[in-house]
Amino acid sequence: MSDVGEVLTGTAMIALGSGAAVQASDAYGGAMMTVAGLLGLLSAQEAERAAAWRAADIAAMRALLPDAAVAPATDLTLTALDVEWAALSDALIAHHAAVEAAGDIAQDRAILQFYRESAARREFLWPQ
């Protein structure tokens, strides 16, 4: 786990514990601390895999697009990856519409499979 992930996880665990303790005397304050803790745990998950899911999606979209005219990111910051991801996503949606209109079932299924895999990469695991 990265330093950011560890800080977010640790802070979240403290917030969750504090929320439970505060709940006895302040229901609203306890609920807010609990929510802050849950958001911290979900943020830690995103911090750990933010670049990985974007890079995987970008590679998969480039493979699905016949001519990906979108320039690759010039750096690996999340901002640059998000710009590239958004442009490829727009291109893939337009391509998918053309694929459906042409009745290309195999390509349609490949794109739908990408959508499922992309969603799975970004799924948050709810703390138990």
Side-chain angles (χ1 to χ4, degrees):
M1 182 177 285
S2 71
D3 291 343
V4 171
E6 286 182 30
V7 168
L8 288 170
T9 299
T11 303
M13 297 307 293
I14 290 169
L16 287 170
S18 298
V22 171
Q23 192 83 25
S25 62
D26 180 2
Y28 179 78
M32 291 301 101
M33 288 298 293
T34 300
V35 168
L38 290 171
L39 289 173
L41 288 175
L42 297 175
S43 296
Q45 288 180 45
E46 177 63 10
E48 285 302 306
R49 57 190 180 167
W53 77 254
R54 286 164 174 85
D57 271 13
I58 287 167
M61 285 189 283
R62 284 193 178 284
L64 288 168
L65 289 165
D67 181 25
V70 176
T74 56
D75 61 53
L76 296 178
T77 64
L78 291 181
T79 301
L81 291 172
D82 280 345
V83 168
E84 183 179 4
W85 186 94
L88 286 167
S89 180
D90 289 345
L92 184 60
I93 290 167
H95 176 63
H96 192 194
V99 163
E100 287 179 323
D104 186 342
I105 293 171
Q107 186 68 6
D108 180 53
R109 286 184 179 158
I111 293 169
L112 292 174
Q113 181 63 30
F114 161 76
Y115 292 150
R116 286 188 291 276
E117 291 169 358
S118 175
R121 280 191 278 276
R122 293 178 278 140
E123 184 177 16
F124 286 117
L125 301 175
W126 195 252
Q128 305 264 335

